[in-house]
Amino acid sequence: MWKDREFLICAKTYPEYSSKHLETVCTAAILKDTKEFIRLYPLPYRYLVGDQQFTKYQWVKATIKKNMQDNRPESYNIKASSIRVGNILPPGRDWTSRNLWILANPKHVFSSLEALQSRQIEDGTSIGLIKPRNIDDFHIEPKTKAEIKEEEEKKKNILAQRSFLIVKKELDLIPYRFLLSFKCQSNDCAGHNISILDWEMGQLYRNLINKGMDWMETENRIQSLSNM
């Protein structure tokens, strides 16, 4: 059933074209009443009315319901037209105010990626927090020609579809993937290499490229910022 809920935005991914939903952004949040993680999808973030667009660590009220077509327990549908944004939760000098929410529910905190993956097999859990023992590397690799072609074809087809109800917005495709290599707290962790899908990483790339910086300079800048 649809229900009005309040939640704190934690993360949102870089937008992707969607054949069914035009464009989507996967958004993670924490419910205020239960302090549980939820995933809000699909969410056409760039098409929200200006005063409905939210930022990270901002309180939001909206009408949501459990997505019964998704077996992951955190997945919810959202009525985009119901979104009402509230205050932004400041980090404070040591992030205490945010940690009271981010780390509030111990079942969301895992000692390793393997532990989170095991929980996913058990009950479908797909969102969790992991504190790395150390971060080994940040690197960038180009997508394959086939991947780039597929994304460009999808973009072309979606923008070509007629629509009398909405003015479509062109989305910059990113021909690279950003990867973070790290080791978990467990001493026997062999290491992991995962993609960074955050909106902020895609926007950083766009900002640097739009300033006319060549790729090597851009890569070095991103690596430098990631180590700060």
Side-chain angles (χ1 to χ4, degrees), residues 29-66:
I30 296 176
L31 290 170
K32 187 173 185 178
D33 53 355
T34 65
K35 296 185 177 179
E36 293 181 314
F37 275 124
I38 59 173
R39 174 189 295 101
L40 301 168
Y41 184 90
L43 183 61
Y45 180 82
R46 294 200 307 155
Y47 289 85
L48 296 177
V49 177
D51 59 358
Q52 290 184 317
Q53 290 190 346
F54 49 78
T55 185
K56 288 174 66 174
Y57 302 109
Q58 185 167 23
W59 288 105
V60 172
K61 292 181 180 180
T63 306
I64 64 176
K65 72 171 182 178
K66 181 68 181 73

Side-chain angles (χ1 to χ4, degrees), residues 106-160:
K107 76 175 186 178
H108 295 150
V109 182
F110 295 84
S111 60
S112 67
L113 182 57
E114 290 85 355
L116 175 56
Q117 292 170 334
S118 294
R119 179 68 64 79
Q120 184 174 28
I121 294 174
E122 294 174 7
D123 59 16
T125 295
S126 58
I127 300 179
L129 299 171
I130 300 168
K131 182 179 180 179
R133 171 160 48 96
N134 59 281
I135 296 176
D136 298 323
D137 192 19
F138 169 82
H139 56 283
I140 303 167
E141 66 179 29
K143 294 179 179 177
T144 66
K145 292 182 179 180
E147 288 175 315
I148 294 173
K149 182 178 179 180
E150 181 180 356
E151 291 180 354
E152 290 176 341
E153 284 295 320
K154 187 175 186 179
K155 173 180 178 178
K156 178 181 177 181
N157 292 336
I158 290 175
L159 293 180

